[in-house]
Amino acid sequence: MLRFLVRRLLQLIPTLGGLSILLFVWLQRLPGGPEYALLPDDATAEQRAQLRRSLGLDQPITVQYLAFLRRILQGDLGTSLNTGRPVTEEFFTRFPATFELAVTAMLIAVTVGVPLGYLAARKRGSVLDFAAVGGSLLGICTPVFFLAFLLKVVFAERLGLFPSAFRLSPGMSRTDLSGFVVLDGLRTGEFDVVRDALLHLALPGLALASIPLAVIVRMTRASVLEVVGEDYVRTANAKGLHPGTVRTRHVMRNAMLPVVTAIGLLTGSLFAGAVLTESVFAFPGVGSFVYAATQGRDYPVLTGFILLIATMYVLINLLVDISYSLLDPRVRAQ
Amino acid sequence: MPTTPSSADRPGAAREGTDAPGAPETPGAPDRNTPLLGRRAARIDRLAELMGEREQGGHGAGIWRTALARLRRSPMAITGAAIVAVFLVVALFSPLLAPYSPTAQTWGAEVFPNRNVFVGPRAENWLGLDNLGRDQFSRMVIGARQTLLVGVVATLVGFGLGAVLGGAAGAAAVLGGRWGRQVDNAVMRVIDMMLALPTLLLAVTIAALIGPSLTTVMIAVGVAQIPIFARLLRGAMLSQGGRDYVLAARALGVRRHRIALTHILPNSLGPVIVQSTLTLATAIIDAAALSYLGLGNPDPAFPEWGTMLADAQRFLSSAPQLAVYPALAIIVTALGFTLLGEAMREALDPKLRR
């Protein structure tokens, strides 16, 4: 197990290294380059050259790349052009909100998607199956931001069942321990805050869950269909095992492997989707901040966001690999 | 990556790559070569490899014919094809179908968005007026053409560049010997890195680079599809590379670039064509998202569904119909392409049929 972990960790290095090169090249190619952003338009060529020297832009490209890498490793992602504060700091204060939103969406997607996919597979060709498959195709084809607007207009503005914006109702006071509203509320026993926060999470969470939910339903269904046809399931049924045991120990355990991987892969797109969803609900997380960055061409924020997603993606997939080896001992032996 | 090129990337490795832990063909078993990308990569590889398998039966044309026959019976395929056909007709003949100019603010005096005065459907304007007093039906019809253009160009960009990269990698791996496998390895590392980023984020990055316009959207959405096409074509070429006909051609002394272009490539294009259908749907949806992010077409001369939908969000509470028409159009069109693409994939994949 330890060897497995070490090997997986070592494999992260080329992926992240390569990504940093891609990002570096991307930054190099930005229109104008940094000296145009920092100097007034009427600056002389001499002033530009001097600035390039002081920024190290006259150095060989490899030296520049190493300097870039060193800054990233020190956690320095530059300063947001919109707010004038360090990007890392902006992300840290907003991250808990987005994390709570992403977890809500994933919980909705998994708790609804896996049972639905299983039922659709077991009752293949039924109305339920048709509805599940059709619904998930529809979910994939609906633009996330439109769904978010629709939910907001119908459930928040017309029916008034849910709040339409922010993380908490205005005037709601809470003890801030970590920035995670729900967790803090549970720890301090402020259950009115927890309730309010969950109400605020419901609609954006649902909108954000639409695509992962659709993918999980379809994948669980396909995976269960495949496993159910395997010989070992027939054997288990033939030797008279309890149907529940066959379902949990034989079918689900094997059928979950690709679904678990998919959950890991979906997390990256969850954060990209948060950009769309959060901006609709004025949810004060990383997503709405990045939305503002795309409006104002705030490059340091965009670069930082890509690095953040890539790192999370890589770490989550490491977790997926570990959970894989727990679910399937053969992976460890490989 | 630690895997040595010689063990992982010889012809036929696409199949080996996907069989990792579970039953031999568990979809989504992690690709040993790239553990982090297991699921998505394996899915692409599986499609690539399946199309190869189907032709192994000996009746090359027969497989395609049976798949076509299966498609004709599939309600999914028929629904998808019907939607796509209607969309294509509307898009191609839109100037003839649109009753009015999509940009003339003919009825501008009747609409006041700031006072919540909108005009709904009526005899002369079938879908009512938009926020500037333009005929919504004409805008929708002309918009179909722009949307088709975005989808097709984006898909072509992804298809073209992805095919060049994936084709080169595949050909190098199959025919290039040891040096070729290293080329393949290097290309695929870059592709896998692109695959690791969510497509929408990749598109936003590119769009931020070149500034907002319709061209931006097409390029951004297209580039984001490159890794999928590249991996797909490479996988298909690898699975073709081990076939007897390739061996025969080599034994006969046919030049290597000729084998790659006239023997392997035509036999590997099937999965890529299926993927194109699915990509058209993704492209239309992603284009709408980019428009919403303000990276789309700022030019009102050419209405496009994504831009219309994004613009209409401002009036969603007072005039929901302005958003609902383009949204429905996008959803139905994307659904049409998805149904058709999925049905094609299903028709060619015996495991999904059962």
Side-chain angles (χ1 to χ4, degrees), chain B residues 45-94:
Chain B
D45 286 348
R46 162 121 182 101
L47 177 57
E49 154 211 342
L50 271 170
M51 314 278 294
E53 264 173 24
R54 297 289 298 155
E55 275 172 290
Q56 232 170 358
H59 325 277
I63 274 81
W64 290 96
R65 208 169 297 141
T66 46
L68 194 68
R70 226 173 280 129
L71 273 184
R72 275 206 214 102
R73 284 197 310 271
S74 149
M76 216 167 135
I78 293 168
T79 319
I83 294 172
V84 169
V86 170
F87 172 64
L88 287 182
V89 167
V90 171
L92 292 177
F93 298 102
S94 57

Side-chain angles (χ1 to χ4, degrees), chain B residues 198-210:
Chain B
T199 44
L200 186 64
L201 194 67
L202 206 57
V204 167
T205 326
I206 296 159
L209 204 63
I210 26 189

